[in-house]
Coordinates of all heavy atoms in Angstrom, one line a residue:
M1131 N -11.5 8.0 -21.3 CA -10.7 6.9 -20.8 C -11.5 5.7 -20.8 O -12.6 5.6 -20.2 CB -10.1 7.3 -19.5 CG -9.5 6.2 -18.8 SD -8.8 6.5 -17.1 CE -10.3 6.8 -16.2
S1132 N -11.0 4.7 -21.5 CA -11.7 3.4 -21.5 C -10.9 2.3 -20.7 O -9.7 2.2 -20.9 CB -11.9 3.0 -22.9 OG -11.6 1.7 -23.2
I1133 N -11.6 1.6 -19.9 CA -10.9 0.6 -19.0 C -11.1 -0.8 -19.7 O -12.2 -1.2 -20.0 CB -11.6 0.6 -17.6 CG1 -11.5 1.9 -17.0 CG2 -11.0 -0.5 -16.8 CD1 -10.1 2.4 -16.7
Y1134 N -10.0 -1.4 -19.9 CA -10.0 -2.7 -20.5 C -10.6 -3.8 -19.6 O -11.4 -4.6 -20.0 CB -8.5 -3.1 -20.9 CG -8.4 -4.6 -21.3 CD1 -8.9 -5.0 -22.5 CD2 -7.7 -5.5 -20.5 CE1 -8.7 -6.4 -22.9 CE2 -7.5 -6.8 -20.9 CZ -8.0 -7.2 -22.0 OH -7.9 -8.5 -22.4
E1135 N -10.2 -3.7 -18.3 CA -10.7 -4.7 -17.4 C -10.5 -4.2 -15.9 O -9.6 -3.4 -15.7 CB -9.8 -6.0 -17.6 CG -10.4 -7.3 -16.9 CD -9.6 -8.5 -17.3 OE1 -8.8 -8.5 -18.2 OE2 -9.9 -9.6 -16.7
E1136 N -11.3 -4.8 -15.0 CA -11.1 -4.5 -13.6 C -10.4 -5.7 -13.0 O -10.8 -6.8 -13.2 CB -12.4 -4.3 -12.9 CG -13.2 -3.0 -13.3 CD -14.4 -2.8 -12.5 OE1 -14.8 -3.6 -11.6 OE2 -15.1 -1.8 -12.8
I1137 N -9.3 -5.4 -12.3 CA -8.4 -6.5 -11.8 C -8.3 -6.3 -10.2 O -8.0 -5.2 -9.8 CB -7.0 -6.4 -12.4 CG1 -7.1 -6.5 -13.9 CG2 -6.1 -7.5 -11.8 CD1 -7.6 -7.8 -14.5
E1138 N -8.5 -7.4 -9.5 CA -8.2 -7.4 -8.1 C -6.7 -7.4 -7.9 O -6.0 -8.1 -8.5 CB -8.8 -8.7 -7.4 CG -10.3 -8.8 -7.5 CD -11.0 -8.0 -6.4 OE1 -10.4 -7.6 -5.4 OE2 -12.2 -7.7 -6.6
I1139 N -6.3 -6.6 -6.9 CA -4.8 -6.4 -6.6 C -4.2 -7.8 -6.3 O -3.0 -8.0 -6.6 CB -4.6 -5.4 -5.6 CG1 -3.1 -4.9 -5.7 CG2 -4.9 -5.9 -4.2 CD1 -2.8 -3.6 -5.0
E1140 N -5.0 -8.7 -5.7 CA -4.4 -10.0 -5.3 C -4.0 -10.8 -6.6 O -3.2 -11.7 -6.5 CB -5.5 -10.8 -4.6 CG -5.8 -10.3 -3.2 CD -6.9 -9.2 -3.2 OE1 -7.6 -9.0 -4.2 OE2 -7.0 -8.5 -2.2
D1141 N -4.6 -10.5 -7.7 CA -4.3 -11.2 -9.0 C -3.1 -10.6 -9.7 O -2.6 -11.1 -10.7 CB -5.5 -11.1 -9.9 CG -6.6 -11.9 -9.4 OD1 -6.4 -12.9 -8.6 OD2 -7.8 -11.5 -9.7
M1142 N -2.5 -9.5 -9.1 CA -1.4 -8.8 -9.8 C -0.1 -9.3 -9.1 O -0.1 -9.8 -8.0 CB -1.5 -7.3 -9.6 CG -2.7 -6.7 -10.3 SD -2.9 -4.9 -10.2 CE -1.7 -4.4 -11.4
D1143 N 1.0 -9.1 -9.8 CA 2.4 -9.4 -9.2 C 2.9 -8.2 -8.6 O 2.9 -7.1 -9.2 CB 3.3 -9.9 -10.3 CG 2.9 -11.3 -10.9 OD1 2.4 -12.1 -10.1 OD2 3.0 -11.5 -12.1
Y1144 N 3.6 -8.3 -7.4 CA 4.2 -7.2 -6.7 C 5.7 -7.4 -6.7 O 6.2 -8.4 -6.4 CB 3.6 -7.1 -5.3 CG 4.2 -6.0 -4.5 CD1 4.0 -4.6 -4.9 CD2 5.1 -6.2 -3.4 CE1 4.6 -3.6 -4.2 CE2 5.6 -5.1 -2.7 CZ 5.4 -3.8 -3.1 OH 5.9 -2.8 -2.4
D1145 N 6.4 -6.3 -7.1 CA 7.9 -6.3 -7.1 C 8.3 -5.4 -5.9 O 8.1 -4.2 -6.0 CB 8.4 -5.8 -8.4 CG 9.9 -5.8 -8.4 OD1 10.6 -5.8 -7.3 OD2 10.5 -5.9 -9.5
P1146 N 8.7 -6.0 -4.8 CA 9.1 -5.1 -3.6 C 10.3 -4.2 -3.8 O 10.5 -3.3 -3.1 CB 9.3 -6.2 -2.5 CG 9.6 -7.4 -3.2 CD 8.9 -7.4 -4.5
L1147 N 11.1 -4.6 -4.8 CA 12.3 -3.7 -5.1 C 11.9 -2.5 -5.9 O 12.4 -1.4 -5.7 CB 13.4 -4.5 -5.9 CG 14.0 -5.7 -5.1 CD1 14.9 -6.4 -6.0 CD2 14.6 -5.2 -3.9
K1148 N 11.0 -2.6 -6.9 CA 10.5 -1.5 -7.7 C 9.2 -0.8 -7.0 O 8.8 0.2 -7.5 CB 10.1 -2.0 -9.1 CG 11.2 -2.4 -9.9 CD 10.7 -2.8 -11.3 CE 11.8 -3.3 -12.2 NZ 11.3 -3.7 -13.5
L1149 N 8.7 -1.5 -6.0 CA 7.5 -1.0 -5.3 C 6.4 -0.8 -6.4 O 5.7 0.2 -6.5 CB 7.7 0.3 -4.6 CG 8.8 0.3 -3.5 CD1 9.0 1.7 -2.9 CD2 8.4 -0.7 -2.4
Q1150 N 6.2 -1.8 -7.2 CA 5.3 -1.7 -8.3 C 4.5 -3.0 -8.5 O 5.0 -4.1 -8.3 CB 6.1 -1.5 -9.6 CG 5.4 -1.4 -10.9 CD 6.3 -1.1 -12.0 OE1 6.8 0.0 -12.1 NE2 6.6 -2.0 -12.9
Y1151 N 3.2 -2.9 -8.9 CA 2.4 -4.0 -9.2 C 2.3 -4.1 -10.7 O 2.2 -3.1 -11.4 CB 0.9 -3.8 -8.7 CG 0.8 -4.1 -7.2 CD1 1.0 -3.0 -6.3 CD2 0.5 -5.3 -6.7 CE1 0.9 -3.3 -4.9 CE2 0.4 -5.6 -5.3 CZ 0.6 -4.5 -4.4 OH 0.5 -4.7 -3.1
T1152 N 2.2 -5.3 -11.3 CA 2.1 -5.5 -12.7 C 1.1 -6.6 -13.0 O 0.8 -7.4 -12.1 CB 3.5 -5.9 -13.3 OG1 3.9 -7.1 -12.7 CG2 4.5 -4.8 -13.2
Y1153 N 0.6 -6.6 -14.2 CA -0.4 -7.6 -14.7 C -0.2 -7.7 -16.2 O -0.1 -6.7 -16.9 CB -1.8 -7.1 -14.3 CG -2.9 -8.1 -14.6 CD1 -3.1 -9.1 -13.7 CD2 -3.7 -8.0 -15.7 CE1 -4.1 -10.1 -13.9 CE2 -4.6 -9.0 -16.0 CZ -4.9 -10.0 -15.1 OH -5.8 -10.9 -15.3
P1154 N -0.3 -8.9 -16.7 CA -0.1 -9.1 -18.2 C -1.1 -8.4 -19.0 O -2.3 -8.4 -18.8 CB -0.2 -10.6 -18.4 CG -0.1 -11.2 -17.0 CD -0.5 -10.2 -16.0
C1155 N -0.6 -7.7 -20.0 CA -1.4 -7.0 -21.0 C -1.5 -7.9 -22.2 O -0.6 -8.6 -22.6 CB -0.8 -5.6 -21.4 SG -1.7 -4.7 -22.6
P1156 N -2.7 -7.9 -22.9 CA -2.8 -8.7 -24.1 C -1.8 -8.3 -25.2 O -1.5 -9.2 -26.1 CB -4.2 -8.4 -24.6 CG -4.9 -7.7 -23.6 CD -3.9 -7.1 -22.6
C1157 N -1.2 -7.1 -25.2 CA -0.2 -6.8 -26.2 C 1.1 -7.5 -26.0 O 2.0 -7.4 -26.8 CB -0.1 -5.2 -26.2 SG 1.0 -4.6 -25.0
G1158 N 1.3 -8.1 -24.8 CA 2.5 -8.8 -24.5 C 3.4 -8.1 -23.5 O 4.3 -8.6 -23.0
D1159 N 3.1 -6.8 -23.2 CA 3.8 -6.1 -22.2 C 3.0 -6.3 -20.8 O 2.3 -7.3 -20.6 CB 3.8 -4.6 -22.5 CG 5.0 -3.9 -21.9 OD1 5.6 -4.4 -20.9 OD2 5.3 -2.7 -22.4
Q1160 N 3.2 -5.4 -19.9 CA 2.6 -5.5 -18.6 C 1.9 -4.1 -18.2 O 2.5 -3.1 -18.4 CB 3.7 -5.7 -17.5 CG 4.5 -7.0 -17.7 CD 3.7 -8.2 -17.1 OE1 3.2 -8.1 -16.0 NE2 3.8 -9.3 -17.8
F1161 N 0.7 -4.2 -17.6 CA 0.1 -3.1 -17.0 C 1.0 -2.8 -15.8 O 1.5 -3.7 -15.1 CB -1.3 -3.4 -16.6 CG -2.3 -3.6 -17.7 CD1 -2.7 -4.8 -18.0 CD2 -2.7 -2.5 -18.4 CE1 -3.6 -5.0 -19.1 CE2 -3.6 -2.7 -19.5 CZ -4.1 -3.9 -19.8
Q1162 N 1.1 -1.5 -15.4 CA 1.9 -1.1 -14.2 C 1.2 -0.1 -13.4 O 0.5 0.8 -13.9 CB 3.2 -0.5 -14.7 CG 4.0 -1.4 -15.6 CD 5.2 -0.7 -16.2 OE1 5.4 0.5 -16.0 NE2 6.0 -1.4 -16.9
I1163 N 1.4 -0.2 -12.1 CA 0.9 0.8 -11.2 C 1.8 0.7 -9.9 O 2.2 -0.4 -9.5 CB -0.6 0.7 -10.8 CG1 -1.0 2.0 -10.0 CG2 -0.9 -0.6 -10.0 CD1 -2.5 2.1 -9.9
T1164 N 2.3 1.9 -9.5 CA 3.3 1.9 -8.3 C 2.5 1.9 -7.0 O 1.4 2.3 -6.9 CB 4.2 3.1 -8.4 OG1 3.4 4.3 -8.2 CG2 5.0 3.1 -9.7
L1165 N 3.2 1.4 -6.0 CA 2.6 1.4 -4.6 C 2.3 2.8 -4.2 O 1.3 3.1 -3.6 CB 3.6 0.8 -3.7 CG 3.2 0.6 -2.2 CD1 1.9 -0.2 -2.1 CD2 4.3 0.0 -1.4
E1166 N 3.2 3.8 -4.6 CA 2.9 5.2 -4.2 C 1.6 5.7 -4.9 O 0.9 6.4 -4.2 CB 4.1 6.0 -4.6 CG 4.0 7.5 -4.2 CD 5.3 8.3 -4.4 OE1 6.2 7.8 -5.0 OE2 5.3 9.4 -3.9
E1167 N 1.4 5.3 -6.1 CA 0.2 5.8 -6.8 C -1.0 5.2 -6.1 O -2.0 5.9 -5.9 CB 0.2 5.3 -8.3 CG 1.2 6.0 -9.1 CD 1.4 5.4 -10.5 OE1 1.3 4.2 -10.7 OE2 1.7 6.2 -11.4
L1168 N -0.9 3.9 -5.7 CA -2.1 3.3 -5.0 C -2.3 4.1 -3.7 O -3.5 4.3 -3.3 CB -1.8 1.8 -4.8 CG -1.8 1.0 -6.0 CD1 -1.2 -0.4 -5.7 CD2 -3.2 0.8 -6.6
W1169 N -1.3 4.4 -2.9 CA -1.4 5.1 -1.6 C -2.0 6.5 -1.9 O -2.6 7.1 -1.0 CB -0.1 5.1 -0.9 CG 0.1 3.9 0.0 CD1 1.0 2.9 -0.2 CD2 -0.6 3.6 1.2 NE1 0.8 2.0 0.8 CE2 -0.1 2.4 1.7 CE3 -1.7 4.2 1.9 CZ2 -0.6 1.7 2.8 CZ3 -2.2 3.6 3.0 CH2 -1.6 2.4 3.5
D1170 N -1.7 7.0 -3.1 CA -2.3 8.4 -3.4 C -3.7 8.3 -3.9 O -4.3 9.3 -4.3 CB -1.4 9.1 -4.5 CG -0.1 9.5 -3.9 OD1 0.0 9.7 -2.6 OD2 0.9 9.8 -4.7
G1171 N -4.3 7.1 -3.9 CA -5.7 6.9 -4.4 C -5.9 6.7 -5.8 O -7.0 6.5 -6.3
E1172 N -4.8 6.5 -6.6 CA -4.9 6.2 -8.0 C -5.3 4.7 -8.1 O -4.9 3.9 -7.3 CB -3.5 6.4 -8.7 CG -3.0 7.8 -8.7 CD -3.8 8.7 -9.6 OE1 -4.3 8.3 -10.6 OE2 -3.9 9.9 -9.2
D1173 N -6.1 4.4 -9.1 CA -6.5 3.0 -9.3 C -6.4 2.6 -10.8 O -7.0 1.5 -11.1 CB -7.9 2.8 -8.7 CG -8.9 3.6 -9.4 OD1 -8.6 4.4 -10.3 OD2 -10.1 3.4 -9.1
I1174 N -5.7 3.3 -11.6 CA -5.6 3.0 -13.0 C -4.2 2.5 -13.3 O -3.2 3.2 -13.1 CB -5.9 4.2 -13.9 CG1 -7.3 4.7 -13.6 CG2 -5.8 3.8 -15.4 CD1 -8.5 3.7 -13.8
G1175 N -4.1 1.3 -13.8 CA -2.8 0.7 -14.2 C -2.7 0.9 -15.7 O -3.7 0.7 -16.5
I1176 N -1.5 1.4 -16.2 CA -1.4 1.6 -17.6 C -0.4 0.7 -18.2 O 0.5 0.1 -17.5 CB -0.9 3.1 -17.9 CG1 0.4 3.4 -17.2 CG2 -1.9 4.1 -17.4 CD1 1.1 4.6 -17.6
C1177 N -0.5 0.4 -19.5 CA 0.5 -0.4 -20.2 C 1.3 0.6 -21.0 O 0.8 1.5 -21.7 CB -0.2 -1.3 -21.2 SG 1.0 -2.2 -22.2
P1178 N 2.7 0.5 -20.8 CA 3.5 1.5 -21.5 C 3.6 1.2 -23.0 O 4.1 2.1 -23.8 CB 4.9 1.3 -20.8 CG 4.8 -0.1 -20.3 CD 3.4 -0.4 -20.0
S1179 N 3.2 0.1 -23.5 CA 3.3 -0.2 -24.9 C 2.0 0.0 -25.8 O 2.1 -0.1 -27.0 CB 3.8 -1.7 -25.1 OG 5.0 -1.9 -24.5
C1180 N 0.9 0.1 -25.1 CA -0.3 0.3 -25.9 C -1.3 1.3 -25.1 O -0.9 1.8 -24.1 CB -1.0 -1.0 -26.2 SG -1.8 -1.8 -24.7
T1181 N -2.5 1.4 -25.6 CA -3.4 2.4 -25.0 C -4.3 1.7 -23.9 O -5.1 2.4 -23.3 CB -4.3 3.0 -26.0 OG1 -5.0 2.0 -26.7 CG2 -3.4 3.8 -27.0
L1182 N -4.2 0.4 -23.7 CA -5.1 -0.2 -22.7 C -4.7 0.2 -21.3 O -3.6 0.5 -21.0 CB -4.9 -1.7 -22.9 CG -5.4 -2.3 -24.2 CD1 -5.2 -3.9 -24.2 CD2 -6.9 -2.0 -24.4
Q1183 N -5.8 0.2 -20.5 CA -5.7 0.6 -19.1 C -6.6 -0.4 -18.3 O -7.6 -0.9 -18.8 CB -6.1 2.0 -18.8 CG -5.3 3.0 -19.5 CD -5.8 4.4 -19.3 OE1 -6.9 4.6 -18.7 NE2 -5.0 5.4 -19.6
I1184 N -6.2 -0.7 -17.0 CA -7.0 -1.5 -16.1 C -7.3 -0.7 -14.9 O -6.6 0.2 -14.5 CB -6.3 -2.8 -15.7 CG1 -4.9 -2.5 -15.0 CG2 -6.1 -3.7 -16.9 CD1 -4.3 -3.7 -14.4
M1185 N -8.4 -1.0 -14.3 CA -8.8 -0.5 -13.0 C -8.4 -1.5 -11.9 O -8.8 -2.7 -12.0 CB -10.3 -0.2 -12.9 CG -10.7 0.4 -11.5 SD -12.4 0.9 -11.5 CE -12.3 2.4 -12.5
V1186 N -7.6 -1.1 -11.0 CA -7.2 -1.9 -9.9 C -8.1 -1.8 -8.7 O -8.4 -0.7 -8.2 CB -5.7 -1.6 -9.5 CG1 -5.2 -2.5 -8.4 CG2 -4.8 -1.6 -10.7
I1187 N -8.6 -3.0 -8.3 CA -9.6 -3.0 -7.1 C -8.7 -3.4 -5.9 O -8.1 -4.5 -5.9 CB -10.7 -4.1 -7.4 CG1 -11.4 -3.9 -8.7 CG2 -11.7 -4.0 -6.2 CD1 -12.0 -2.5 -8.9
Y1188 N -8.7 -2.5 -4.9 CA -7.9 -2.8 -3.7 C -8.5 -2.0 -2.5 O -9.3 -1.1 -2.6 CB -6.5 -2.4 -3.9 CG -6.3 -0.9 -4.1 CD1 -5.8 -0.2 -3.0 CD2 -6.6 -0.2 -5.2 CE1 -5.6 1.2 -3.1 CE2 -6.4 1.2 -5.3 CZ -5.9 1.9 -4.2 OH -5.7 3.2 -4.3
D1189 N -8.1 -2.5 -1.3 CA -8.3 -1.8 -0.1 C -7.0 -1.2 0.4 O -6.0 -2.0 0.5 CB -8.9 -2.7 1.0 CG -10.3 -3.2 0.7 OD1 -11.1 -2.3 0.2 OD2 -10.7 -4.3 0.9
E1190 N -7.0 0.0 0.8 CA -5.7 0.7 1.2 C -5.1 0.0 2.4 O -3.9 -0.2 2.5 CB -6.0 2.2 1.6 CG -5.0 3.1 0.9 CD -5.3 4.5 1.2 OE1 -5.4 4.9 2.4 OE2 -5.4 5.3 0.2
E1191 N -5.9 -0.5 3.3 CA -5.4 -1.2 4.5 C -4.7 -2.5 4.2 O -3.9 -3.0 5.0 CB -6.5 -1.5 5.5 CG -7.6 -2.5 5.0 CD -9.0 -2.0 5.2 OE1 -9.2 -0.8 5.4 OE2 -9.8 -2.9 5.1
D1192 N -4.8 -3.0 3.0 CA -4.1 -4.3 2.6 C -2.8 -4.0 1.9 O -2.1 -4.9 1.6 CB -5.0 -5.1 1.7 CG -6.3 -5.6 2.4 OD1 -6.2 -5.8 3.6 OD2 -7.3 -5.8 1.7
L1193 N -2.5 -2.7 1.6 CA -1.3 -2.4 0.8 C -0.1 -2.5 1.7 O -0.2 -2.1 2.9 CB -1.4 -1.0 0.3 CG -2.4 -0.7 -0.8 CD1 -2.4 0.8 -1.1 CD2 -2.1 -1.5 -2.1
P1194 N 1.1 -2.9 1.2 CA 2.3 -2.8 2.0 C 2.6 -1.3 2.3 O 2.2 -0.4 1.5 CB 3.4 -3.3 1.0 CG 2.7 -4.0 -0.1 CD 1.3 -3.4 -0.2
L1195 N 3.3 -1.0 3.3 CA 3.7 0.3 3.7 C 4.8 0.8 2.7 O 5.6 0.0 2.3 CB 4.2 0.4 5.1 CG 3.1 0.1 6.2 CD1 3.8 0.1 7.6 CD2 2.0 1.2 6.2
L1196 N 4.8 2.1 2.5 CA 5.8 2.7 1.7 C 7.1 2.8 2.6 O 7.0 2.9 3.8 CB 5.4 4.1 1.3 CG 4.4 4.2 0.2 CD1 3.9 5.6 0.0 CD2 5.0 3.8 -1.2
P1197 N 8.3 2.8 2.0 CA 9.5 2.9 2.8 C 9.4 4.3 3.5 O 9.0 5.3 3.0 CB 10.6 3.0 1.8 CG 10.0 2.2 0.6 CD 8.6 2.5 0.6
G1198 N 9.8 4.3 4.8 CA 9.7 5.5 5.6 C 8.4 5.4 6.5 O 8.4 5.9 7.6
D1199 N 7.3 4.9 5.9 CA 6.1 4.8 6.7 C 6.2 3.7 7.8 O 5.6 3.8 8.8 CB 4.9 4.4 5.8 CG 4.4 5.6 5.0 OD1 4.9 6.7 5.2 OD2 3.6 5.4 4.0
E1200 N 7.1 2.7 7.6 CA 7.3 1.7 8.6 C 7.9 2.3 9.8 O 7.6 2.0 10.9 CB 8.2 0.6 8.0 CG 7.6 -0.2 6.9 CD 8.5 -1.0 6.1 OE1 9.8 -1.0 6.4 OE2 8.1 -1.8 5.2
E1201 N 8.9 3.3 9.6 CA 9.5 3.9 10.8 C 8.5 4.7 11.5 O 8.5 4.7 12.8 CB 10.7 4.8 10.3 CG 11.8 4.1 9.7 CD 12.9 5.0 9.1 OE1 12.8 6.2 9.3 OE2 13.7 4.5 8.4
R1202 N 7.6 5.4 10.8 CA 6.6 6.2 11.5 C 5.7 5.3 12.3 O 5.3 5.6 13.4 CB 5.8 7.0 10.5 CG 6.5 8.3 10.1 CD 5.7 9.2 9.2 NE 6.4 9.1 8.0 CZ 5.9 9.2 6.8 NH1 4.6 9.3 6.7 NH2 6.6 9.2 5.7
E1203 N 5.3 4.1 11.8 CA 4.4 3.2 12.5 C 5.1 2.7 13.7 O 4.5 2.6 14.8 CB 4.0 2.1 11.6 CG 3.0 1.2 12.2 CD 2.5 0.1 11.2 OE1 3.2 -1.0 11.2 OE2 1.5 0.3 10.5
E1204 N 6.4 2.4 13.6 CA 7.2 1.9 14.8 C 7.2 3.0 15.8 O 7.1 2.8 17.0 CB 8.6 1.5 14.4 CG 8.6 0.2 13.6 CD 10.0 -0.1 13.1 OE1 11.0 0.5 13.5 OE2 10.1 -1.1 12.3
D1205 N 7.5 4.3 15.4 CA 7.5 5.4 16.4 C 6.2 5.6 17.1 O 6.2 5.8 18.3 CB 7.9 6.7 15.6 CG 9.3 6.7 15.1 OD1 10.1 5.9 15.6 OD2 9.6 7.6 14.3
E1206 N 5.1 5.4 16.3 CA 3.8 5.5 17.0 C 3.6 4.4 18.0 O 3.0 4.7 19.1 CB 2.7 5.5 15.9 CG 2.6 6.7 15.0 CD 1.6 6.6 13.9 OE1 0.9 5.6 13.8 OE2 1.6 7.5 13.0
E1207 N 4.0 3.2 17.7 CA 3.9 2.1 18.6 C 4.7 2.4 19.8 O 4.2 2.1 21.0 CB 4.3 0.8 17.9 CG 3.3 0.3 16.9 CD 3.8 -0.9 16.1 OE1 4.9 -1.4 16.4 OE2 3.1 -1.4 15.2
D1208 N 5.9 2.9 19.7 CA 6.8 3.2 20.8 C 6.2 4.2 21.7 O 6.2 4.2 22.9 CB 8.2 3.6 20.3 CG 9.0 2.5 19.7 OD1 8.6 1.3 19.9 OD2 10.0 2.8 19.0
E1209 N 5.6 5.3 21.1 CA 4.9 6.3 21.8 C 3.7 5.8 22.6 O 3.6 6.2 23.8 CB 4.5 7.4 20.8 CG 4.1 8.7 21.4 CD 3.9 9.8 20.4 OE1 4.8 10.1 19.6 OE2 2.7 10.3 20.4
E1210 N 2.9 4.9 22.0 CA 1.8 4.4 22.7 C 2.3 3.5 23.9 O 1.7 3.6 25.0 CB 1.0 3.5 21.8 CG 0.2 4.3 20.7 CD -0.5 3.4 19.7 OE1 -0.5 2.1 19.9 OE2 -1.0 3.9 18.7
E1211 N 3.4 2.8 23.7 CA 3.9 2.0 24.8 C 4.4 2.9 25.9 O 4.2 2.5 27.1 CB 5.1 1.1 24.2 CG 5.6 0.1 25.2 CD 6.6 -0.8 24.6 OE1 6.4 -1.3 23.5 OE2 7.7 -1.0 25.3
E1212 N 5.1 4.0 25.6 CA 5.5 4.9 26.6 C 4.4 5.5 27.4 O 4.5 5.6 28.7 CB 6.3 6.0 26.0 CG 7.7 5.6 25.6 CD 8.5 6.8 24.9 OE1 8.2 8.0 25.3 OE2 9.3 6.6 24.0
Q1213 N 3.3 5.8 26.7 CA 2.1 6.4 27.4 C 1.5 5.3 28.4 O 1.1 5.7 29.5 CB 1.1 6.9 26.4 CG 1.5 8.1 25.6 CD 0.6 8.5 24.5 OE1 -0.4 7.7 24.3 NE2 0.8 9.6 23.9
L1214 N 1.5 4.1 27.9 CA 0.9 3.0 28.8 C 1.8 2.8 30.0 O 1.3 2.7 31.1 CB 0.8 1.7 27.9 CG 0.2 0.5 28.6 CD1 -1.2 0.8 29.1 CD2 0.2 -0.7 27.7
V1215 N 3.1 2.8 29.8 CA 4.0 2.7 31.0 C 3.9 3.8 31.9 O 3.8 3.6 33.2 CB 5.5 2.6 30.5 CG1 6.5 2.7 31.6 CG2 5.7 1.3 29.7
K1216 N 3.8 5.0 31.5 CA 3.6 6.2 32.3 C 2.3 6.1 33.1 O 2.2 6.4 34.3 CB 3.6 7.5 31.5 CG 5.0 7.9 31.1 CD 5.0 9.1 30.3 CE 6.4 9.5 29.8 NZ 6.4 10.7 28.9
A1217 N 1.2 5.7 32.4 CA -0.1 5.6 33.1 C 0.0 4.5 34.2 O -0.6 4.7 35.2 CB -1.2 5.2 32.1
T1218 N 0.6 3.4 33.9 CA 0.8 2.3 34.9 C 1.6 2.8 36.1 O 1.3 2.5 37.2 CB 1.5 1.1 34.2 OG1 0.7 0.7 33.1 CG2 1.6 -0.1 35.2
Q1219 N 2.7 3.5 35.8 CA 3.5 4.1 36.9 C 2.7 5.0 37.8 O 2.8 4.9 39.0 CB 4.7 4.8 36.3 CG 5.7 3.8 35.7 CD 6.9 4.6 35.0 OE1 6.8 5.7 34.6 NE2 8.0 3.9 34.8
K1220 N 1.9 5.8 37.2 CA 1.0 6.8 38.0 C 0.1 6.0 38.8 O -0.1 6.3 40.0 CB 0.2 7.7 37.0 CG 1.1 8.8 36.4 CD 0.2 9.7 35.6 CE 1.0 10.7 34.9 NZ 0.2 11.6 34.0
Q1221 N -0.5 4.9 38.3 CA -1.4 4.1 39.1 C -0.7 3.4 40.3 O -1.2 3.3 41.4 CB -2.1 3.0 38.2 CG -3.1 3.5 37.3 CD -3.7 2.4 36.4 OE1 -3.1 1.3 36.3 NE2 -4.8 2.8 35.7
L1222 N 0.5 3.0 40.0 CA 1.3 2.3 41.1 C 1.7 3.3 42.2 O 1.7 3.0 43.4 CB 2.6 1.7 40.5 CG 2.3 0.5 39.6 CD1 3.7 0.0 39.0 CD2 1.7 -0.7 40.4
V1223 N 2.0 4.6 41.8 CA 2.3 5.6 42.8 C 1.1 6.0 43.6 O 1.2 6.2 44.8 CB 2.9 6.9 42.1 CG1 3.1 8.0 43.0 CG2 4.3 6.5 41.4
V1224 N 0.0 6.1 43.0 CA -1.3 6.4 43.7 C -1.6 5.4 44.8 O -2.1 5.7 45.9 CB -2.4 6.6 42.7 CG1 -3.7 6.9 43.4 CG2 -2.1 7.8 41.8
K1225 N -1.4 4.2 44.5 CA -1.8 3.1 45.4 C -0.8 3.0 46.5 O -0.6 3.1 47.5 CB -1.8 1.7 44.7 CG -2.9 1.6 43.7 CD -2.8 0.3 43.0 CE -4.0 0.2 42.0 NZ -4.1 -1.1 41.4

């Protein structure tokens, strides 16, 4: 496998409807990599029209959340808030 170029994810275009990053390929098409592939640890964007590939440089913490993960994050925040409220109530009862 030969890599044409290393590209920072900030230099790529993101389509929130397709959950996909793209970058112009010299052949005239676009290199593509999905958000799901990135979350799975993949870092190779492919061009569907030629054999060129790019390596995408990114930090997982900077990626948008996948649909469904946002709900889990909200649930975790709600759970943490509930635990804090219970701990505060226990302290008030003890005093």
Side-chain angles (χ1 to χ4, degrees):
M1131 169 180 68
S1132 131
I1133 302 297
Y1134 169 70
E1135 194 172 352
E1136 292 184 3
I1137 303 295
E1138 297 278 341
I1139 199 163
E1140 294 85 13
D1141 296 330
M1142 299 181 77
D1143 293 321
Y1144 179 64
D1145 183 336
L1147 298 176
K1148 293 182 179 179
L1149 303 175
Q1150 176 176 291
Y1151 285 89
T1152 58
Y1153 188 80
C1155 180
C1157 79
D1159 204 344
Q1160 299 277 318
F1161 293 105
Q1162 303 171 356
I1163 190 165
T1164 66
L1165 182 58
E1166 185 172 6
E1167 289 170 329
L1168 292 165
W1169 273 110
D1170 287 342
E1172 299 289 328
D1173 62 355
I1174 303 299
I1176 60 167
C1177 177
S1179 298
C1180 72
T1181 60
L1182 294 178
Q1183 300 179 346
I1184 58 171
M1185 179 176 288
V1186 180
I1187 309 300
Y1188 69 100
D1189 290 321
E1190 228 176 54
E1191 64 227 20
D1192 296 332
L1193 293 175
L1195 293 175
L1196 287 167
D1199 287 349
E1200 294 167 354
E1201 292 173 12
R1202 278 184 247 147
E1203 187 175 87
E1204 289 173 10
D1205 290 345
E1206 289 172 5
E1207 289 173 2
D1208 290 345
E1209 197 172 300
E1210 288 173 7
E1211 187 176 315
E1212 284 179 33
Q1213 290 174 354
L1214 182 60
V1215 167
K1216 287 179 183 177
T1218 304
Q1219 287 173 339
K1220 284 182 183 179
Q1221 287 178 346
L1222 292 174
V1223 170
V1224 172
K1225 293 181 179 181

